[in-house]
Amino acid sequence: PTPTIDPSKESTYTFFDNFFKEMSSLFTDAYLHIGADENNGVAWKQNPAIVTFMKANGIKNTDELQAYFVKRLHAIAQKYNKRIIGWEEAFNPSLPQDVIVQKWKPFAVDTLSNKIISHNNQLIISCGYYLDMYFPAYIHYLNDPVSSNVSTADADKGILGGEAAIWSESENEGNEEIRVWPRAATIAERLWSA
């Protein structure tokens, strides 16, 4: 099991309220990324207090618990005039429509992008644009940020753009620049050109 935050404790939301308040005073941007990814639910299922909370609140599974958690964070973020962004695992049918979903997984791109846009949430596309992966630059030219089954009108309203991500697990001061350049320029050209 991966370490996860306990969504059954009110102290969790008190912490996030204080944290969001402090971050909002330091970073005045309109957006706040909450993550909400890579939780397999195992740690929640193995915690008797969380299982009891789920039963008491009619939460059938860990996906519904994740949705509950994201909605609670959404309400706190709104208090500080922040629009939240969450990784694709945050998406579910009850997700508030002002939450931006960041697509990162390389599979099921067409289906999930359509579901998200149909739900009137907006998207940021990251899949296929990871700089920490050992892809040659031409791969990024082949990666279309707009899925083949998403109409131009839907793409214009639903896809905000893309992100060239570099994650630090395999980075150090000796390889950061060669990972970023020239591929970041390739990704920028791909995202900003027809």
Side-chain angles (χ1 to χ4, degrees):
T2 57
T4 55
I5 295 166
D6 186 342
S8 70
K9 292 182 177 179
E10 279 305 308
S11 60
T12 297
Y13 304 103
T14 301
F15 167 80
F16 276 111
D17 193 302
N18 291 327
F19 181 71
F20 286 8
K21 180 180 181 182
E22 182 177 344
M23 290 300 104
S24 296
S25 69
L26 296 172
F27 302 100
T28 58
D29 310 8
Y31 304 97
L32 180 67
H33 204 302
I34 63 164
D37 64 320
E38 298 188 23
N39 174 12
N40 63 14
V42 172
W44 287 348
K45 289 182 213 174
Q46 293 179 347
N47 183 319
I50 294 174
V51 171
T52 300
F53 173 84
M54 290 172 66
K55 286 179 185 170
N57 289 280
I59 298 172
K60 296 181 198 97
N61 54 48
T62 55
D63 289 336
E64 286 186 13
L65 185 58
Q66 171 98 335
Y68 169 85
F69 180 63
V70 169
K71 280 199 255 183
R72 292 285 307 265
L73 292 183
H74 175 262
I76 295 168
Q78 281 193 314
K79 197 168 134 179
Y80 299 106
N81 299 312
K82 297 292 183 187
R83 185 173 179 195
I84 64 171
I85 304 168
W87 293 109
E88 66 189 79
E89 291 92 332
F91 180 73
N92 65 75
S94 67
L95 187 70
Q97 292 178 333
D98 65 326
V99 175
I100 298 167
V101 179
Q102 191 161 357
K103 180 80 190 77
W104 71 276
K105 293 182 182 179
F107 53 86
V109 175
D110 294 344
T111 305
L112 187 60
S113 296
N114 251 348
K115 280 184 187 173
I116 292 166
I117 293 170
S118 296
H119 193 264
N120 292 316
N121 292 91
Q122 292 181 305
L123 271 166
I124 297 171
I125 307 295
S126 296
C127 60
Y129 302 119
Y130 275 60
L131 292 168
D132 50 307
M133 305 295 254
Y134 291 109
F135 295 139
Y138 80 88
I139 294 293
H140 302 302
Y141 285 116
L142 301 176
N143 187 46
D144 195 337
V146 180
S147 302
S148 60
N149 65 344
V150 174
S151 72
T152 302
D154 283 347
D156 287 345
K157 87 172 179 181
I159 299 177
L160 294 176
E163 177 216 33
I166 184 147
W167 299 101
S168 61
E169 292 94 339
S170 56
E171 305 308 310
N172 60 50
E173 65 229 16
N175 69 6
E176 180 187 359
E177 281 195 42
I178 60 172
R179 291 280 181 90
V180 173
W181 303 107
R183 291 188 304 132
T186 302
I187 293 168
E189 183 178 29
R190 180 66 186 100
L191 292 172
W192 295 337
S193 303

